[in-house]
Amino acid sequence: MTKKLALLASTIAVAAFATPAAAQNAPEGARAELQLGWDRLTTSDDFASLESDGLVYGIGGGYDFKVGNNISLGIDAEITDSSIEESEQGRIDGISYDVTAELGRDLYAGARVNFGIGENAVAYLKAGVTNVQADFTITTFDAVTFITEEFSDDDTGWRAGAGLQFGVASNAYVGGEYRYSDYGDGLSRHQAVASVGVRF
């Protein structure tokens, strides 16, 4: 993962400084966007590693402060949800169980560095803190009893990513982003997200 992000970061830096200054224009001001993309959840422990794929969708926003002709610094906030759901069944000491985990809302807050790489093109690097919630349903049963328990849990970790945005109108843009999130305890996510947004 770190090699992928390092390669993206070096590519963005080369593109930013190789583009003629007259063509570079870093963004500034407020922005809001819709997000939709691919989501992969990886859960691992000392014995196994499981992967589940689904869709991630949500909204994001932020504000960019210009610090140079082709560089600006920004703050980000996002709230997303996911279609990922995992289930496992088994039997221990004569008791059967069925566990279902449904990935829920994810909150993110962080910072970014934007590089103007063309008249209507922006590349950026981002990093911050992310918190994900999961909803669990655990059912245990044997010949005489049937018990179902439901609860929610959340984990906090870090996220890093890189992306591109392209202006399509006076204040509208489309973009694409790769990001990696690590919540600790063997829980991580890879995401590739497309966005449609506006600047104010």
Side-chain angles (χ1 to χ4, degrees):
M1 185 284 302
T2 54
K3 290 183 179 179
K4 291 180 181 179
L5 287 177
L7 179 60
L8 284 170
S10 61
T11 302
I12 288 172
V14 169
F17 291 105
T19 308
Q24 299 174 356
N25 188 20
E28 59 181 332
R31 54 185 152 76
E33 63 186 39
L34 301 176
Q35 301 177 351
L36 176 66
W38 165 76
D39 193 5
R40 169 167 287 179
L41 173 69
T42 301
T43 55
S44 60
D45 55 28
D46 294 335
F47 303 99
S49 178
L50 301 175
E51 293 183 339
S52 301
D53 293 322
L55 290 176
V56 58
Y57 51 92
I59 58 175
Y63 197 97
D64 298 309
F65 305 86
K66 204 164 188 178
V67 295
N69 186 51
N70 69 318
I71 298 177
S72 63
L73 304 178
I75 54 175
D76 291 330
E78 299 173 5
I79 178 169
T80 58
D81 207 334
S82 177
S83 66
I84 290 179
E85 182 176 305
E86 290 185 340
S87 62
E88 180 181 344
Q89 298 81 35
R91 188 175 177 85
I92 300 176
D93 296 332
I95 299 177
S96 299
Y97 67 87
D98 186 330
V99 179
T100 300
E102 183 178 353
L103 212 57
R105 65 102 186 102
D106 188 294
L107 303 176
Y108 169 80
R112 68 166 61 191
V113 181
N114 302 294
F115 302 93
I117 58 173
E119 185 177 355
N120 293 304
V122 175
Y124 63 88
L125 304 172
K126 63 185 291 183
V129 178
T130 177
N131 176 275
V132 66
Q133 178 178 292
D135 299 319
F136 296 89
T137 301
I138 301 176
T139 300
T140 58
F141 52 94
D142 56 20
V144 295
T145 61
F146 187 96
I147 301 173
T148 297
E149 180 182 5
E150 296 181 348
F151 65 94
S152 296
D153 190 21
D154 62 270
D155 292 287
T156 300
W158 58 270
R159 174 176 296 164
L164 295 170
Q165 291 179 346
F166 301 94
V168 293
S170 59
N171 64 337
Y173 64 86
V174 296
E177 175 182 299
Y178 164 77
R179 58 207 198 189
Y180 173 80
S181 304
D182 191 322
Y183 304 94
D185 297 324
L187 182 65
S188 62
R189 296 167 84 179
H190 293 271
Q191 297 173 321
V193 179
S195 61
V196 178
V198 293
R199 293 189 176 276
F200 304 98

